[in-house]
Amino acid sequence: MKPIILFLLAFFSISSFSQILVTRDTLLMGSKFQISVVDDKETNAHSKINLAIAEIVRLEEMLSTYKSTSEVSLINQNAGIQPVKVSEELIFLTKIANHFSELTNGAFDISIASMDKIWRFDGTMDTLPTSQEIEFAKRNVNFKNIVIDSKNQTIFLKNKGMKITFDSIGKSFAADNALAILKNLGVQSAMVNAAGDITVMGNPPHQKTWNIGVQHPEKKNQIKKIVRLNSGAVTTSGDYQKYAYINGTRYSHIIDARTGYPTRLWKSITNVGENATICNALSTSCMLLTKKEQKQLLKKVKGFRIIR
């Protein structure tokens, strides 16, 4: 679950001369998505929103770890056995993930899913895993054991017991793709909010920009900063929405793959940039890094800025 970024236009349909803003909330990929489209007719806007939703549903079928027939599930089921033929999109997304693993020296790693049995953030965890349990689970956490064969379009996990998950960047990727669908349909102004990972283009009626409020990590319903955008994305990673509370200490769901333990460096990190996928990879990565390491990372990934 991602921290909530509050969209500051709280309405469903507002007229501005011939333009109407239509917003729809829906549950996709296990989270709340909000899609807003500016059009001259409400029926047209809803038709376009339907196509954006269909794109997100299609990507969920590819990325889900809960659906046994998804590409990601098939990769996990065949870990240590054989490569799995996948879509070009999943090859592309896995390469992005592994690139950030390289940039963070292994702190960010989609094979962290292999530790899902010892760190649970669903309210059922009341004791900490032992150091031995963590070390045992870590044996299957290593992005270098994710083998991407672009020519044959396959992905292979070298070790049995390995798993990958795109919980960190999958919803953002879906948001980017949904916005691209809307753009291809001729929409000039729209917003896709994927559980707090927001990507926009154009502007809503009566306003020059989309105004996005970044939630304060320690003060519920209080906005820390307003980000104004006509194009681009805002994503936030934080430890205050999904965590385990054990012996008086809150343990974040964001785990440093190098140590096997939840990060405790930051309450939240927000990134602003050209697309939600990279923004989210950055915000998650930055949660795992010191301020000095964050600066070094942002020098390598141009066109993005951080809000702490």
Side-chain angles (χ1 to χ4, degrees), residues 87-212:
S87 61
E88 290 184 5
E89 289 168 299
L90 192 58
I91 294 284
F92 172 74
L93 194 58
T94 305
K95 285 182 176 179
I96 289 176
N98 280 2
H99 178 59
F100 275 88
S101 294
E102 293 277 3
L103 291 176
T104 60
N105 295 315
F108 177 96
D109 192 328
I110 58 173
S111 67
I112 198 70
S114 305
M115 302 191 74
D116 62 352
K117 299 299 183 185
I118 63 168
W119 288 109
R120 302 183 309 279
F121 302 97
D122 56 3
T124 64
M125 188 174 181
D126 54 12
T127 58
L128 290 175
T130 65
S131 58
Q132 291 84 1
E133 288 172 329
I134 288 173
E135 288 304 313
F136 185 75
K138 272 179 61 183
R139 78 196 190 283
N140 285 322
V141 180
N142 190 339
F143 72 96
K144 294 179 181 178
N145 289 328
I146 303 171
V147 181
I148 303 171
D149 185 338
S150 298
K151 181 179 179 181
N152 294 309
Q153 210 170 303
T154 63
I155 294 176
F156 176 54
L157 307 182
K158 285 186 178 181
N159 300 333
K160 277 195 172 184
M162 276 191 76
K163 295 179 184 178
I164 58 172
T165 178
F166 289 91
D167 285 353
S168 56
I169 58 176
K171 294 182 184 69
S172 299
F173 184 67
D176 283 334
N177 278 265
L179 193 73
I181 291 289
L182 294 172
K183 187 174 182 178
N184 289 338
L185 291 169
V187 175
Q188 295 184 343
S189 298
M191 176 197 71
V192 181
N193 180 349
D197 299 330
I198 297 176
T199 184
V200 306
M201 62 182 176
N203 58 281
H206 302 299
Q207 302 215 30
K208 294 180 179 179
T209 60
W210 296 93
N211 301 322
I212 301 161

